[in-house]
Amino acid sequence: MNWLSWLGDFFSSPDRRTGPNAITQRIAEHLLFSGEALLYAAVLAVPLGLLIGYTGRGTALVTALAGATRALPTLGLVTFTVLLAGVGDTAVLVPLVALAVPPLLVAAVEGVRGTDPDVRDAARGVGLTHPQVLRQVCLPSALPTLLAGFRTATVQVIATATVAAYVGLGGLGRYVIDGLATRDFALTAGGALLVVLLAVGAQVLFTVLARFALPPGLRARRRAR
């Protein structure tokens, strides 16, 4: 019952409707941090992953680096970045990008590697260049796997973007950190719930997108099951 009472107090407060601490404002800040981090991570990871997946060179290194990067402590990386670059957006974006790169990189590599070799050979046989094969054949085949990687990265980034509050920035983490600091458990509970809802919403969105990204024949077979 305490949770229900806390959530009722949180959502009924006038401060959550307007002003700098409004729910819409905090969600917008949270999504801005998350979207910017995912954009940078995609620019870094996806082209490299597609190239490695197509050539087959460096796959073992990608697996090792992905595992090592996942082991990085997010708060430790935030603290280290603050010491180097000071308090600001960089202190949040660096750890979030580091968190998002591994699933995107692995998804790009595995998506291209999963392309039917006969289809690739046939594309080369009709005169397509390697870049054309990658762009016109491998990339469409890899799209469902890529979207699965984006789903994983997005959920992780949304859940972790609360660290922005540790360096005095906004986002939904502001509710969680401020609530814990002042023992305002309604504030903490409401912020945590909103983070969960955003993460679940991202999960559902990318699941739907991945289903529509399937090739028509495979989509029809899954519907028939």
Side-chain angles (χ1 to χ4, degrees), residues 1-13 17 186 190:
M1 291 298 294
N2 281 342
W3 275 91
L4 293 177
S5 176
W6 290 338
L7 292 176
D9 292 342
F10 175 80
F11 286 105
S12 63
S13 172
R17 300 189 185 98

Side-chain angles (χ1 to χ4, degrees), residues 128-214:
L128 294 184
T129 64
H130 286 296
Q132 288 173 328
V133 173
L134 178 59
R135 185 173 61 253
Q136 299 177 26
V137 177
C138 297
L139 184 56
S141 176
L143 189 56
T145 306
L146 269 174
L147 287 174
F150 269 101
R151 179 183 62 196
T152 300
T154 301
V155 171
Q156 290 178 346
V157 166
I158 287 176
T160 311
T162 52
V163 298
Y166 280 100
V167 292
L169 300 177
L172 293 174
R174 192 77 272 154
Y175 293 143
V176 177
I177 301 303
D178 290 350
L180 290 173
T182 61
R183 298 184 63 82
D184 185 347
F185 299 116
L187 195 61
T188 300
L193 176 63
L194 290 173
V195 173
V196 170
L197 291 177
L198 273 186
V200 170
Q203 177 91 5
V204 172
L205 174 63
F206 279 100
T207 299
V208 173
L209 290 176
R211 181 172 300 179
F212 282 103
L214 290 171

Side-chain angles (χ1 to χ4, degrees), residues 62-72 102:
V62 166
T63 303
L65 287 176
T69 307
R70 287 192 184 103
L72 288 173

Side-chain angles (χ1 to χ4, degrees), residues 67-162:
T69 307
R70 287 192 184 103
L72 288 173
T74 303
L75 283 179
L77 194 52
V78 168
T79 303
F80 182 70
T81 309
V82 168
L83 292 176
L84 290 180
V87 175
D89 290 359
T90 303
V92 178
L93 290 175
V94 167
L96 292 183
V97 170
L99 185 68
V101 162
L104 294 178
L105 184 60
V106 171
V109 171
E110 294 302 322
V112 173
R113 289 182 64 194
T115 305
D116 189 339
D118 292 337
V119 176
R120 289 175 56 169
D121 291 342
R124 288 288 294 154
V126 298
L128 294 184
T129 64
H130 286 296
Q132 288 173 328
V133 173
L134 178 59
R135 185 173 61 253
Q136 299 177 26
V137 177
C138 297
L139 184 56
S141 176
L143 189 56
T145 306
L146 269 174
L147 287 174
F150 269 101
R151 179 183 62 196
T152 300
T154 301
V155 171
Q156 290 178 346
V157 166
I158 287 176
T160 311
T162 52

